[in-house]
Amino acid sequence: MLGIIAKSLGTGVLTEADPFGGRASFGFPVVDFSRCTACGECAQSCPSGAIQAATPTEGCKTLSLSYAACIQCRACVTACPEKAIGVSDGVEVAAYTREQLAQTASFTVDPETGRATFSQDAVHHGPGLAESAFRLRDRIRGRLGRSLHVRQVDAGSCNGCELEIAATANPLYDLERFGIHLVASPRHADVLLVTGPVTRNMEIALRRTYDAAPEPRVVVAVGTCGCSGGIFGEGTYAAIGGVDRVLPVDVYIPGCPPRPQAILNGLLVAMGVREARILPSREQ
Amino acid sequence: MSNALEVAANAVRELRPGELVIDASATALPGLADRAISGLDARLMSLFASDEREVAGRFFLHHVWSLPQLKRFLRVIAPIDPAEPSFPSISAKHPAANWFEREVMDLFGLVPTGHPNPARVVLHDDWPERAWALRKDFPAQGAVARVPGDYHPFRPVTGEGVFQVPVGPVHAGIIEPGHFRFGVAGEPVLYLQMRLFYVHKGTEKRFEHLPWRHGVFLAESISGDTVVGHALAFAHAVERLATVTVPPRAQALRTVLLELERIYNHTADIGAVATDVAFTVPASRAQALREGLLRIQDRLFGTRLLRGTIALGGVRHDLTSQGRQVLSAHLRVFATEFDALIALLIDAGTFTDRVDGTGILTHQAARDLGVVGLAARASGVDADLRRDHPHDGYAGVRFEVPVEDGGDVRARLMVRAREVEQSLLILHQVLDAMPDSAIAASMPERLPALASALGWAEAWRGPCTHWVATDTRGEIARVKVTDPSFLNWPGVIQAVPGNIIPDFPVINKSFNLSYSGNDR
Ligand code: SF4
Ligand code: SF4
């Protein structure tokens, strides 16, 4: 007993004041389209189809990149002959839609030389996100409005996402200090934190869990698989795909798996979504 | 080769170093299995089918055995005529084959004749008949219709005061889905039945539709806590197919990665057992230690859970001498803290009361069921691929294989604790004498056509094996993935009866099997 007390006292407080301080050593690939020649090497190298190269019409090429499908393997970074792909180190990556996580660039191809030049960037930076990040900072500074009860549902994950979700509760991240509690039953839950790819064999259980949660319930898709089916794909005989193939998803947290900070950030975004749903007038 | 096998087999071929093959007829399979087990102390590692109707007009059934005395694997292959889609079962005598044979039945439509319980194992009740997903003519894409069915009747309970407790698939904690049925009389559990495969993702079929170079990324996602183990097993198979030799430095770094994976998982599991008996101080210490390891991994390799570290032909990141020093220093501090953690646990009577004698898997049951890895070693089965079939840098390092006899929660905890010590020993040896060479060999443009090879690695939970076969173009025709969980779940079923329901979480945690690895 004395040993335990000594250990507790000797250890002190491990919880980090700013959980968003640590940077991700590899977030997501960022393409510098001005250097990109749309050669498509990155798309070839990408195991999960997150980068797609296409030639929609003669004289035009497109390159699209979706963080919803990216497994952060960095194959594209090394594959790019122009060294046009760098990496981001941000952890605040949550989005409200799959589309917000995607970007497409168009290129015009010179008929003489065959060289493609970047003509137009169609990057969708979710307009809500900057704002929510701002709101989050507020919350972290101690103006937490309410608490959030979270039920996690593994609807097909490889368990990597579960490892990082569980890590958010460890003494260093300690998500409970943000008023976020992982609860045992969907009946107590404000938020369902769903990992996927949703499998055929989990679809019914997932729907039932959703039905058991009280309104206004918020669904957060966690991980590349939950956002898009990831490396397992969509519409296969066994994997239905992203959570939004089965339930309406309010927040997407991409990453394979997302870091604990990214999950924490996504949950804080979800808190905002929930508040907006309860108090629509105040949010206007 | 040993006489034990020559009798029935026409010839034993050494297909690749460490991998023997016997071509047999299906009828010879049971006899060969008996002889391999009695004469060579063989252990079943995997059992699967392949659909080679397009190229050979047949299915094939494969039994894969570990022959530790010979330091070789043995694969017995038998052709199956599509006109008579069945094969003789060995499950009645060798229960380790039980789920494997039923999986072949579910996914290939080949019937194990003489199987004592030929019920579905992979397919849930609402799968149609004849939906044999791993047959080549079954489409990878496209939903499978749900049909009413009742293929998993749970054993009825009879007797006064005896009732059933259903749990799952969605559990109370952050764990993977599975359904458990406890038959209980008051508190004590009479029996446990389970239904798994909720997270069956069609992974083996998916491999067949990815370029072979991308397979390693899928392998990393078989079980998120065994990224290195499965990536290595896959990489080994592909490298053996391509007859590529992994450079010494890459082998050393792979050893480092696999041992780091072992340490962080063992530490987490020790903490999880403490959590499940509500002993919070060591539980939170263990979580903090684990987080420290993930962060150093992130810092050195750019990835917390070691994803993206294994390349076909080697590794993707080198470790500078400064990085090695940082790691060694971290591990030294870790070692002291880890010792203190274990001392805290085993000195506390409240803790040992809950783990001593809880969830016993007897030595005999572990042997009969073919349980593998740390769960087997905690029941006195002395087996470890790192020593018995050395891979990567293991032939060149000194280490012991800890074995405990108790078979209970405590024994599984102590095997983990002692393995962490050994891992630290291995890591320091490797980090102190890192060979100088490239960190990856280059892979050929194409893999040889119509070839196959076995890859294996002793990951933290136990052996991961991958059998990789190519088609006429040298692309992947079949990958059979075996996660240790698939062999060990029946061990949990045996270990639970006689305990009380509140002990189930701690027993389950002491095995900590992967649902995703099992279900794929
Ligand atoms: S880092 Fe993402 S986009 Fe790049 S190759 Fe890997 S999965 Fe594709
Ligand atoms: S996103 Fe990555 S870590 Fe999460 S379940 Fe999918 S494969 Fe596993």
Side-chain angles (χ1 to χ4, degrees), chain B residues 13-14 47 90 93 97 103 135 140 163 178 180 189 210 223 239 293 354 362 375 423 469 476:
Chain B
R13 294 182 279 137
E14 181 138 16
L47 189 159
I90 60 166
K93 259 175 116 173
E103 179 178 82
R135 286 196 175 194
F163 55 96
F180 302 102
V189 179
L210 285 183
S223 181
E239 287 151 7
L293 289 167
R354 289 293 307 276
T362 63
S423 296
I476 286 178

Side-chain angles (χ1 to χ4, degrees), chain B residues 194-211:
Chain B
M194 54 176 77
R195 180 182 297 180
L196 298 177
F197 291 91
Y198 283 91
V199 291
H200 176 61
K201 295 181 268 288
T203 307
E204 290 177 10
K205 188 100 174 171
R206 186 84 180 152
F207 272 112
E208 299 172 14
H209 298 271
L210 285 183

Side-chain angles (χ1 to χ4, degrees), chain B residues 16 212 236-245 442-444 446-448 453:
Chain B
R16 298 175 192 284
W212 62 270
H236 289 154
V238 171
E239 287 151 7
R240 287 160 66 81
L241 262 175
T243 51
V244 161
T245 311
S442 63
M443 295 298 292
R446 309 176 60 148
L447 294 180

Side-chain angles (χ1 to χ4, degrees), chain A residues 39-54:
Chain A
C39 69
E41 290 286 331
C42 54
Q44 285 283 318
S45 76
C46 177
S48 69
I51 308 188
Q52 307 264 349

Side-chain angles (χ1 to χ4, degrees), chain A residues 3-4 7-8 11 14 16 23-26 43-48 71 73-75 78 151-167 169-173 182-186 196-197 199-206 209 230-240 256-257 259-261, chain B residues 107 122 124 126-128 133-134 138-147 169-177 197-203 205-206 210 214 217-218 220-225 264-265 279 281 284-285 287-288 290-291 294-295 298 301-305 307-308 316-317 337 340 344 348 461 514-516:
Chain A
I4 297 166
K7 186 80 221 166
S8 305
T11 305
L14 294 175
E16 293 166 327
R23 298 278 89 183
S25 37
F26 184 84
Q44 285 283 318
S45 76
C46 177
S48 69
I71 60 164
C73 72
R74 347 171 172 205
T78 27
R151 173 65 245 164
Q152 202 264 329
V153 186
D154 174 345
S157 140
C158 76
N159 80 30
C161 283
E162 278 60 33
L163 294 182
E164 292 296 48
I165 292 169
N170 79 25
L172 285 93
Y173 300 106
L182 299 168
V183 295
S185 164
T199 58
R200 182 187 189 279
N201 289 352
M202 268 307 284
E203 183 192 0
I204 293 170
L206 175 61
T209 309
I231 190 101
F232 298 101
E234 295 203 291
T236 75
Y237 82 90
I240 296 169
C256 180
R259 295 170 169 263
Q261 297 101 320
Chain B
L107 298 177
V122 179
H124 281 195
D126 61 6
W127 285 75
L134 283 181
F138 187 91
Q141 292 295 127
V144 180
R146 293 188 193 274
V147 298
V170 178
H171 299 285
I174 302 177
I175 52 168
E176 301 176 75
F197 291 91
Y198 283 91
V199 291
H200 176 61
K201 295 181 268 288
T203 307
K205 188 100 174 171
R206 186 84 180 152
L210 285 183
H214 293 172
F217 298 111
L218 184 57
E220 286 181 345
S221 292
I222 289 165
S223 181
D225 50 21
Y264 95 69
N265 275 295
F279 194 7
V281 172
S284 94
R285 283 309 301 153
Q287 286 178 10
R290 170 187 185 274
E291 180 68 23
L294 298 200
R295 288 183 179 191
D298 194 19
F301 303 105
T303 148
R304 284 167 55 87
L305 297 171
R307 284 173 177 269
R316 287 176 70 193
H317 309 278
E337 295 265 335
L344 207 57
R461 204 180 258 121
S514 168
Y515 299 67
S516 182

Side-chain angles (χ1 to χ4, degrees), chain B residues 30-45:
Chain B
L32 281 166
D34 291 347
R35 260 165 285 176
I37 291 173
S38 60
L40 292 166
D41 194 26
R43 291 165 185 161
L44 189 67
M45 289 281 111

